[in-house]
Structure formats: structure tokens, C-alpha cells
Amino acid sequence: MTYVEDELTSQPECWTRAAAEAARHTPALPAAGERVAIVGCGTSYFMAQSAAALREEAGQGETDAFAASEFPRGRAYDRVVALTRSGTTTEVLELLAGLKGRTRTVALTADPRTPVMSAADDVVVLDFADERSVVQTRFATTALTLLRAHLDLHTDAVVADARAALAAELPEGLVGSTQFTFLGRGWTVGLANEAGLKMREASLSWTEAYPAMEYRHGPISISTAGTATWMFGEAPDGLADQVRETGARWVPGDLDPLAELVRAQRLAVAVAAARGLDPDRPRHLTRSVILAP
């Protein structure tokens, strides 16, 4: 078993623990009414997109998501939340240093022995969700679970769906698809983006991700026999039929969208295995991007 397989199968337990610990982290996390930005890089950026949309949908306050390198330095926020598994990513540390003394910051990280511990005003350590694999799975979803629980949006049903996602067989023939498109709406757009990234990182697959309503505006033109379109959450009316009419495979998201991401992680590993690739060592990638001066 690869590291990533071992780590992704532990997600139900990690989510349960994060939800149980959410209340004690309340002082560090955004309060209702605050204007908040959530930042990250790669997978963490896509989790930031989902968390920001969830917070706004919950009526907790204006919330934006940015890649750390693209944060608008002239914009005012009450609090900036940084997601960083390694605690060493250059763009995140530079942003936190620039905000020091001006904007309250909190970092969610997996490693308490890294520079982020002193770079942020508050730190939430999820060391039980740390990973050895370059490809992120459980840290990202555990951080998002913590933020969902903070918003009172996490339930035991989410964990049950994750267990179902791990137990069920992947749809027959899906591994052999030549192209994968992931779709989302609202907070699940970030999950769709992350599913696409997992497939590219682990299995070198041709993948794309879009807001579901945008898929009709051009991207559906690539759908054909041998391609697959996977929906995270409820699909817009008529979209499934339109995809099937192209000859493509439609994969509905019947589980909680975060549990659907677990299924997509499993697919990435399965496609990697079918292609003789090691998902723990994706080409050209490292566990943390640290830029030389």
C-alpha cells in the first residue's frame, strides 16, 4: 500500500477528531461578522475556495479565497486564515510576514516544528492528519472539516458517507476513461478543482474542473465516448442528460461532496496503478514549494 492510500483511508477518523476539537479552536477561527480571507497554495487554495463559499453561504460574513501569491495587499480584512500542511511554503510565509501587526492571522498546519508557528498570530495544529505522501489527501479534507464544524455544518452523516466512499467499488470501467471533468456548485467548486488536481498529480491524467453551469459554455465540447464528467453535489437541471447525449459517462455525486472527493482520490490512485505510476512520487513535485532567495 502506498502512503497516499494509507492516508486517504484514515480520513473518517481524522474528520471525527477534527470535528470534536473544533470548539476549543473557536478563539483562533473567524467570528461571525468578520471580513475574512482564506489563502493557500495548490490543494490548500482549493480548500480555501470551498471554505470561503461555505462561510458566506452560512451568513457568517464576507469571505474571499486567494492563492497566497495573489493576495490583494491593499484590501482590508479582519482576519486572514492560511492553510499550509507543511508550514514552510514560501508564498504563505511571506504573506503572513507582510500582514504581521496589521491584520490578525491564523494558520492551520500539520507540523508544529515549522516557521509558520511564529509567522501567524494564532496556529491550529492538525498533526494527527499530517502526511508522508507528496499528494495531499487527509490534511486538506481534515482542515476543511474543522472549518465546517466551526460553522456548525459538519454532521456524523458526512463521516458515514466517507466510510461508504472507501468501501464501495469504483464504477466499472471508470479507470479506463481518457479524460475526466469535475463539476461543482457553490462550495463544491473548490472540491471539483481539487479532484482535478489529484488526478493530474497522482496519475498524470487529462482533467479539467468548472462550475457546473459554466460547463455548457464551451467545455462540454470535449465530451465524447471515453470521457467522464463527475458532479460534486446536486447537478443543474438537464445537465446529466446533455452530457450523456455526447456519449460521455456521467458520474453523479450521491454522497456528501467531501466524501465524493474521497472517491475521486481513490480514482486517482487506481488510475496511477493502472498506468504503472507511483502516486507517492509525482513527477516534478515536492511536498512543499520553498523558493530560493
Side-chain angles (χ1 to χ4, degrees):
M1 180 177 290
T2 61
Y3 293 139
V4 69
E5 286 177 280
D6 182 58
E7 289 157 0
L8 75 84
T9 58
S10 70
Q11 287 174 110
E13 291 75 25
C14 289
W15 298 1
T16 299
R17 180 168 173 179
E21 295 182 2
R24 72 180 179 88
H25 295 301
T26 296
L29 298 175
E34 287 185 335
R35 189 167 189 253
V36 173
I38 309 177
V39 302
C41 300
T43 289
S44 293
Y45 170 45
F46 297 141
M47 295 300 100
Q49 290 178 331
S50 288
L54 275 173
R55 187 171 184 270
E56 281 213 3
E57 290 172 9
Q60 292 290 297
E62 183 177 341
T63 315
D64 297 319
F66 300 102
S69 59
E70 299 299 317
F71 182 82
R73 302 293 182 115
R75 195 174 295 183
Y77 290 97
D78 299 310
R79 195 180 310 239
V80 172
V81 179
L83 306 182
T84 170
R85 174 180 65 170
S86 69
T88 60
T89 304
T90 297
E91 299 101 299
V92 172
L93 293 177
E94 288 181 349
L95 174 59
L96 292 174
L99 295 173
K100 201 77 170 179
R102 298 193 297 114
T103 303
R104 190 80 185 172
T105 60
V106 56
L108 275 62
T109 189
D111 192 343
R113 299 159 297 182
T114 57
V116 78
M117 297 299 293
S118 58
D121 297 312
D122 299 294
V123 182
V124 175
V125 178
L126 303 173
D127 52 354
F128 59 89
D130 202 359
E131 297 160 327
R132 297 181 68 179
S133 179
V134 170
V135 175
Q136 277 202 61
T137 54
R138 71 182 180 192
F139 173 75
T141 60
T142 299
L144 183 55
T145 295
L146 179 78
L147 296 173
R148 286 181 86 182
H150 177 63
L151 296 169
D152 292 326
L153 297 175
H154 174 84
T155 68
D156 291 341
V158 179
V159 175
D161 276 3
R163 296 189 190 282
L166 291 168
E169 294 292 330
L170 292 170
E172 185 177 355
L174 186 60
V175 169
S177 298
T178 58
Q179 189 275 343
F180 302 88
T181 298
F182 299 95
L183 306 179
R185 303 177 81 180
W187 76 280
T188 71
V189 172
L191 301 183
N193 287 333
E194 170 58 9
L197 179 62
K198 285 288 91 67
M199 293 293 296
R200 290 190 290 274
E201 289 177 330
S203 66
L204 306 183
S205 295
W206 171 22
T207 64
E208 299 180 342
Y210 302 96
M213 291 297 288
E214 284 297 302
Y215 190 55
R216 294 183 173 104
H217 295 272
I220 196 172
S221 63
I222 66 169
S223 295
T224 188
T227 68
T229 302
W230 191 325
M231 183 71 212
F232 282 73
E234 185 178 356
D237 290 342
L239 183 57
D241 289 338
Q242 290 176 342
V243 170
R244 292 188 184 104
E245 287 169 3
T246 69
R249 180 175 196 146
W250 174 260
V251 183
D254 298 325
L255 302 173
D256 179 88
L258 196 56
E260 285 294 323
L261 180 57
V262 175
R263 292 180 71 209
Q265 293 168 346
R266 291 183 58 214
L267 175 64
V269 171
V271 174
R275 297 178 178 178
L277 301 171
D278 182 353
D280 284 333
R281 296 174 178 83
R283 68 182 186 184
H284 314 315
L285 296 179
T286 57
R287 189 173 182 275
S288 174
V289 176
I290 302 173
L291 305 177

